[in-house]
Amino acid sequence: MSTTATRPLSIYRYKREDGAGRFDAFDVPVDECATLLDALRWIQLNRDPSLSLRHSCLHASCGTCGVRVNGREELACVCSLAEQDGDIRVEPLANLPTLTDVVVDMRPFYDRLPDEHPLIRVSEWPPAAQPDDGPFVRLEDCIECGICISSCPVAANGFAGPAAMVAAARSLEEPRATEREDVLAWINRPDGVWQCTTCRACVDRCPAGIAPMEKIVGMRRALVERGDVDPLLQQALQNFAMQGNSYGKSARRRARWTKGLDFTIPDARKEPSEYIWFVGDFASFDERVQRESQRLAKILHDAGVSFGLLFEGERNAGNDVRQAGEEGLFELLVEQNMKAFADAQFEAIFTTDPHSLNTLRNDYPEYGLDKPVYHYTELLVDLVTRGKITLAPTLRGTRVTYHDPCYLARYNGVTDAPRALIAATGAELVEMPRNGSNTFCCGAGGGRIWGAESEAGERPSEQRIREAQALGDIDYFVVSCPKDLTMYTAAAVTIGGVGFEVVELTELLERALA
Amino acid sequence: MRHDAQVLIVGGGGTGAALAHDLSLRGVGVTLVERGELTSGTTGRHHGLLHSGGRYAVNDRESAVECIEENRILRRICPETFELNDGLFVAVEEEDLEYVGAFVEGCEACGIPAHRLTRDEALRLEPNLNPDVKLAVRVPDGTIDAMRLPLRFFATARRNGAVIRPYTEVSGLLVHDGLVSGAVLHDHVTGKEGEVHADIVVNATGPWSEHVAAMAGVDVPIRPSPGVLLALRGRLCNMVLNRLHKSGDGDIIVPQRGLSVVGTSSWVVEDPDDLTVPEDHVERMYTEGAKLVPAVRSAERRAAWSAARPLIGTKGADTGRELSRTFKTFDHKETDGVEGFVTITGGKATTLRGMAELCADVICRKLDIDEPCRTRETVLLPHWAYYAAAA
């Protein structure tokens, strides 16, 4: 008998009469199963006919076979088995009720759309165009698979969801003037565009290549231009215009956190330095995060790194302002920051804030910034590599998990540097199911932190803390973003008795410094 | 005696969908069961081609006439379900030119609008066509959304009172003294067994109809005939492209959403569940498709899959190409002396409504119901109404 290579699959099973779900294990022959759907159908045909599946077209056109594979949403019919590492765990999509096994009930997907005017339409415009009229205008091509709803951190926290917003965007792109006002009013509701955290999970996962989040930001711009903005968000945006920060605090207080240090940090505008530390609002003004800024300042100072600050010259970098749809204010902030950079002599920028990193690295070059921009974890890895910092494995026996910030991992692909630093401390890193470039969002991004908080469902930060809890016996929940520190500290308190502490990565590093 | 429905339809593909809709409009109480998701059998996997009838105009004029009639009806009752992109039959080799006369004449005889285009006119419409194109004939083909078209029938049937039960598998038929009175069901949602009693059980399971008919002790001459389809990323064309020749492998490209689907091949299997995707067939899709549009060769593969056609024919056929594309209703009282059991099979997606009409006529005669078919005029609910109408 020939031996056939097999892969183990663990599949979620649920039948209404049995109550709670469970996972069943199966081995499937690799040579007969190119895709995950092949494997699931092989099991149904050869091992367990009671396994229920959703599928129809088998080529990523109908959108029925969405599932989660090791925490990542995939259309099973185009999910290559060979590209999956290790064990394969298959679950139904999240944020939709499970009907049976890995099958979800799609009715609530459609409930997320308005009743008044149908937004799901054919993707060609005009709908009756003939080829003679020139190429079709192909609008969005949503296949209604529910994958974006499953991947969205706030779809269960008061947001109608990416698919509904895409449908709205599609109808706004279409010249039907009579509906325009209705659709704009609909997306401006409390469950509309302002709930998006801009985490970009929907863009990463959409099998039809739509970028829902980008459409949402576009619609925010349209609302901002009309002055239709959530009142709390409006207040934060006014603070930016007045003081250059979201706290509405005087710009002169921006560097007050340095008062607690037993050394002074130079003003980069007065003396040349190798790096400018772009601190960001949270790390400058939030009391809890200020302590982390001081900790990092000390580490860098002791390592002999040449760095300076812009003091009152630094403004919010504008990342979330832009994602909130305020282009004009974003450009004002860029102009002010660029002026401060122009007054300084430096070789590179590092920042403690992934949101600032994103816009400084990806948007500012368009406005003339020609210096490299690093996240502080990248800088620290460099210092370790060059022997400027020595870390000892003093945290051996400690179990930690690490949360990747959206703007670091999804937007900028920085996932190795923080892990290298954790490894150097000797701590054991236990990954959450959603990690690296498939991370989960804390719920604070894209300006959402300034808007009205939704009371519906569970906050993403709390969902994430539960995900870490499920790992069992974790000592620390490690973060590398000021917003994460604030959000997860609060979420851990809300949940209570979580058994681990939320810490900024610098705190671990401090303990491992030789 | 327990009675749950006048008609129990087994099979949630396009045929079952259209039949449930037709019967519901005539006031007949319908329950439909499908072992998996709706359209998860052959229906959802088809090429997505709304036939003008052109493909059959030379060799099978009966099918061609059915196609153009139903094509026109569907455009009326399913607005916005199709891309109204038309189709080109393209001559790319000298020998294709020999087929043009018969093709245009056949189309005319069947009432299919067919317009000859010069090489330049064809290339202007479809710039990615093989530059060797000799000429093309334009016909009213179109692109169907294979799942959402049947969902519109299901949505409307449900609104009119039909009970639609996906994830419900027939594990046996209730047969006594030559009478079928219902089915034993396994509900995959609850995990429970149950029964449905009905005056008539309709077997609308496509390539699985031989298997279901065997539960009633009767035979239907079905040859499950799979074909391979290949989906490529990107729209290589905006119109449906056919080779202008006698039907063969890989000679159709249907643009579907952001994909281009090349198909198909044909062979015959015993078990429609056990379908392979032979790599040499996939390779043939590339080779033949590239004769129509050279960019097929270098396009990125999104998926390759097989779907089993339910062709009517007796054992012995081995490629399926020689089998007819027509459909047929079998009243098993007449063919096998078994009362209360009807099989509808064969056919294609474009003619689903027409198939349902003829089958519903047979069923209504058996039930002594005198109601006319109303599906030619009834505009269907949008596909998402299927979920909105859910109980």
Side-chain angles (χ1 to χ4, degrees):
Chain A
M1 237 179 89
S2 66
T3 52
T4 311
T6 62
R7 287 290 299 270
L9 259 68
S10 172
I11 301 172
Y12 182 78
R13 303 303 303 275
Y14 168 76
K15 299 292 177 195
R16 201 180 289 157
E17 298 286 321
D18 301 343
R22 61 171 198 275
F23 282 86
D24 280 355
F26 300 94
D27 288 320
V28 298
V30 173
D31 58 349
E32 289 179 50
C33 305
T35 67
L36 176 62
L37 187 57
D38 290 341
L40 294 170
R41 293 177 64 223
W42 186 90
I43 292 166
Q44 196 183 45
L45 195 59
N46 298 286
R47 291 290 178 270
D48 186 350
S50 75
L51 174 65
S52 288
L53 305 171
R54 250 193 119 217
H55 62 76
S56 180
C57 79
L58 310 192
H59 64 285
S61 181
C62 71
T64 57
C65 64
V67 290
R68 283 180 296 161
V69 185
N70 296 340
R72 189 189 298 258
E73 286 77 12
E74 301 276 1
L75 282 182
C77 71
V78 286
C79 173
S80 160
L81 270 196
E83 286 171 18
Q84 306 301 315
D85 296 328
D87 292 351
I88 299 173
R89 185 180 166 96
V90 187
E91 296 167 271
L93 294 179
N95 300 330
L96 289 162
T98 300
L99 195 63
T100 165
D101 298 340
V102 292
V103 176
V104 292
D105 178 1
M106 288 302 286
R107 192 172 12 154
F109 175 92
Y110 295 93
D111 290 344
R112 290 169 177 269
L113 290 152
D115 297 331
E116 313 87 69
H117 35 264
L119 293 183
I120 293 179
R121 301 190 188 130
V122 287
S123 57
E124 298 76 36
W125 181 264
Q130 294 286 325
D132 322 64
D133 304 334
F136 290 88
V137 178
R138 295 192 62 78
L139 304 174
E140 129 288 320
D141 218 357
C142 176
I143 57 173
E144 302 155 42
C145 63
I147 276 179
C148 62
I149 299 289
S150 178
S151 70
C152 177
V154 285
N157 184 216
F159 182 34
M165 296 302 122
V166 162
R170 183 226 171 288
S171 71
L172 290 173
E173 285 163 16
E174 195 181 271
R176 292 194 197 195
T178 51
E179 274 182 355
R180 208 178 148 75
E181 289 301 314
D182 290 347
V183 175
L184 285 171
W186 186 73
I187 60 170
N188 198 24
R189 298 186 340 170
D191 63 350
V193 286
W194 305 112
Q195 290 296 337
C196 171
T197 68
T198 69
C199 75
R200 232 182 71 169
C202 57
V203 181
D204 289 346
R205 300 315 314 146
C206 175
I210 300 169
M213 186 215 80
E214 287 166 20
K215 306 238 177 214
I216 289 166
V217 171
M219 290 192 291
R220 286 175 169 182
R221 283 188 197 132
L223 291 175
V224 166
E225 274 173 29
R226 297 156 54 97
D228 285 345
V229 181
D230 176 298
L232 286 173
L233 175 60
Q234 184 65 48
Q235 181 59 50
L237 295 174
Q238 272 165 12
N239 289 338
F240 283 119
M242 301 291 289
Q243 304 291 352
N245 65 71
S246 58
Y247 288 81
K249 289 189 178 166
S250 162
R252 286 196 308 279
R253 295 166 67 93
R254 185 174 276 276
R256 274 178 81 98
W257 63 270
T258 61
K259 299 287 183 220
L261 298 170
D262 56 10
F263 55 92
T264 54
I265 303 176
D267 186 332
R269 297 166 301 176
K270 293 182 181 145
E271 56 183 278
S273 56
E274 189 179 356
Y275 291 100
I276 283 178
W277 179 358
F278 196 97
V279 187
D281 287 7
F282 259 72
S284 299
F285 293 109
D286 183 281
E287 278 181 31
R288 166 86 158 88
V289 190
Q290 281 175 348
R291 294 207 299 275
E292 305 305 327
S293 301
Q294 289 166 350
R295 210 189 304 270
L296 180 64
K298 192 165 179 310
I299 293 172
L300 297 175
H301 177 75
D302 292 350
V305 176
S306 158
F307 66 98
L309 303 176
L310 294 174
F311 290 88
E312 79 285 355
E314 181 185 312
R315 295 286 183 276
N316 182 289
N319 188 72
D320 294 10
V321 168
R322 183 172 225 189
Q323 297 290 55
E326 244 295 10
E327 277 297 289
L329 183 51
F330 169 71
E331 292 199 349
L332 176 71
L333 293 168
V334 174
E335 196 180 304
Q336 291 170 338
N337 281 317
M338 285 306 293
K339 186 172 174 307
F341 289 138
D343 290 342
Q345 275 189 56
F346 63 102
E347 302 304 318
I349 298 168
F350 73 87
T351 174
T352 20
D353 174 28
H355 298 246
S356 299
L357 170 87
N358 180 58
T359 191
L360 291 173
R361 186 183 276 184
N362 300 312
D363 299 331
Y364 276 51
E366 216 178 293
Y367 299 87
L369 183 63
D370 56 359
K371 299 285 166 58
V373 184
Y374 304 106
H375 186 241
Y376 81 91
T377 55
E378 295 175 293
L379 172 62
L380 289 174
V381 166
D382 181 56
L383 294 171
V384 170
T385 309
R386 291 195 287 126
K388 302 278 184 189
I389 290 178
T390 308
L391 294 169
T394 55
L395 294 175
R396 219 164 250 155
T398 306
R399 278 164 58 92
V400 307
T401 193
Y402 171 70
H403 167 79
D404 292 272
C406 305
Y407 277 94
L408 198 58
R410 285 194 189 272
Y411 280 77
N412 290 287
V414 178
T415 55
D416 292 343
R419 286 175 172 76
L421 294 171
I422 290 170
T425 67
E428 181 197 351
L429 175 63
V430 186
E431 295 281 8
M432 288 181 276
R434 293 174 286 194
N435 63 67
S437 61
N438 189 47
T439 187
F440 195 64
C441 177
C442 76
R448 192 176 190 258
I449 200 165
W450 307 311
E453 197 172 33
S454 173
E455 295 302 319
E458 188 170 54
R459 294 182 188 98
S461 53
E462 290 158 20
Q463 295 174 41
R464 186 61 156 170
I465 290 293
R466 289 187 201 284
E467 188 172 348
Q469 263 187 307
L471 298 173
D473 290 335
I474 295 295
D475 299 307
Y476 296 108
F477 182 100
V478 183
V479 299
S480 62
C481 166
K483 285 193 177 82
D484 284 339
L485 187 63
T486 308
M487 298 298 284
Y488 290 121
T489 302
V493 169
T494 304
I495 289 174
V498 294
F500 54 72
E501 200 184 326
V502 177
V503 296
E504 167 58 51
L505 178 54
T506 46
E507 189 177 333
L508 291 193
L509 298 179
E510 192 180 55
R511 286 195 229 163
L513 277 170
Chain B
M1 170 142 173
R2 191 175 140 194
H3 184 268
D4 303 295
Q6 284 170 288
V7 177
L8 172 67
I9 301 171
V10 184
T15 306
L19 184 59
H21 167 60
D22 190 311
L23 290 171
S24 301
L25 275 182
R26 300 193 206 207
V28 178
V30 173
T31 293
L32 179 144
V33 293
E34 159 59 47
R35 66 175 183 174
E37 178 57 287
L38 300 174
T39 76
S40 58
T42 294
T43 295
R45 297 178 215 175
H46 72 65
H47 208 153
L49 169 51
L50 175 70
H51 278 286
S52 62
R55 191 167 174 85
Y56 308 108
V58 174
N59 290 325
D60 185 355
R61 290 196 177 173
E62 192 184 345
S63 289
V65 170
E66 277 166 22
C67 281
I68 188 63
E69 278 183 13
E70 293 300 326
N71 178 312
R72 292 201 171 102
I73 294 169
L74 289 178
R75 285 167 192 255
R76 203 164 62 232
I77 65 174
C78 306
E80 294 210 1
T81 282
F82 309 105
E83 280 188 37
L84 305 179
N85 43 353
D86 282 2
L88 293 182
F89 278 75
V90 185
V92 292
E93 287 170 10
E94 287 298 332
E95 61 189 67
D96 295 350
L97 292 172
E98 294 165 19
Y99 195 69
V100 178
F103 179 77
V104 174
E105 189 185 312
C107 285
E108 277 167 10
C110 298
I112 302 163
H115 303 288
R116 285 173 81 127
L117 304 178
T118 64
R119 171 183 185 275
D120 290 350
E121 286 169 332
L123 281 169
R124 203 156 42 238
L125 282 171
E126 288 297 347
N128 290 338
L129 274 179
N130 184 341
D132 290 341
V133 53
K134 313 289 180 211
L135 60 82
V137 181
R138 181 173 178 169
V139 295
D141 284 346
T143 301
I144 306 180
D145 188 310
M147 179 183 73
R148 288 170 179 83
L149 172 65
L151 275 185
R152 297 190 66 165
F153 283 91
F154 282 121
T156 315
R158 194 174 234 186
R159 185 67 59 86
N160 290 322
V163 176
I164 313 293
R165 293 181 58 182
Y167 301 103
T168 305
E169 185 160 10
V170 169
S171 49
L173 293 175
L174 302 171
V175 192
H176 291 288
D177 300 331
L179 174 72
V180 176
S181 61
V184 182
L185 305 176
H186 182 85
D187 185 328
H188 286 295
V189 174
T190 61
K192 289 278 181 193
E193 297 285 329
E195 287 184 359
V196 165
H197 296 255
D199 297 328
I200 293 179
V201 174
V202 183
N203 173 15
T205 54
W208 289 268
S209 51
E210 188 177 19
H211 172 70
V212 173
M215 294 179 184
V218 302
D219 189 38
V220 287
I222 274 295
R223 306 298 289 143
S225 168
V228 161
L229 294 120
L230 169 68
L232 302 169
R233 267 196 206 271
R235 282 173 74 95
L236 303 174
C237 50
N238 270 324
M239 306 172 79
V240 176
L241 302 180
N242 281 262
R243 268 292 288 283
L244 185 55
H245 66 186
K246 188 166 173 287
S247 300
D249 287 357
D251 58 354
I252 307 178
I253 305 176
V254 180
Q256 213 182 80
R257 297 181 173 273
L259 303 170
S260 301
V261 180
V262 187
T264 178
S265 59
S266 185
W267 73 102
V268 169
V269 297
E270 290 300 320
D271 180 1
D273 274 321
D274 197 10
L275 295 186
T276 56
V277 184
E279 201 51 41
D280 59 320
H281 287 230
V282 176
E283 184 50 37
R284 211 179 310 148
M285 295 307 114
Y286 278 110
T287 312
E288 293 300 318
K291 289 180 185 168
L292 274 169
V293 171
V296 162
R297 184 38 81 186
S298 53
E300 184 195 339
R301 174 167 166 175
R302 180 65 162 151
W305 72 102
S306 294
R309 307 170 185 89
L311 298 184
I312 298 167
T314 46
K315 311 240 186 253
D318 56 3
T319 71
R321 285 271 178 235
E322 68 277 36
L323 296 173
S324 161
R325 262 53 176 168
T326 54
F327 61 89
K328 195 164 171 166
T329 296
F330 298 91
D331 178 349
H332 293 287
K333 171 73 178 166
E334 289 169 12
T335 53
D336 310 275
V338 174
E339 185 56 284
F341 190 55
V342 170
T343 294
I344 174 167
T345 195
K348 41 195 168 297
T350 302
T351 58
L352 81 176
R353 190 217 61 86
M355 293 168 67
E357 176 177 347
L358 292 180
C359 183
D361 286 346
V362 170
I363 290 166
C364 285
R365 254 195 321 276
K366 289 176 73 71
L367 291 171
D368 210 13
I369 291 170
D370 186 20
E371 288 288 339
C373 174
R374 298 185 182 89
T375 58
R376 285 167 189 267
E377 305 83 33
T378 306
V379 175
L380 299 169
L381 293 175
H383 74 271
W384 42 263
Y386 171 74
Y387 300 96

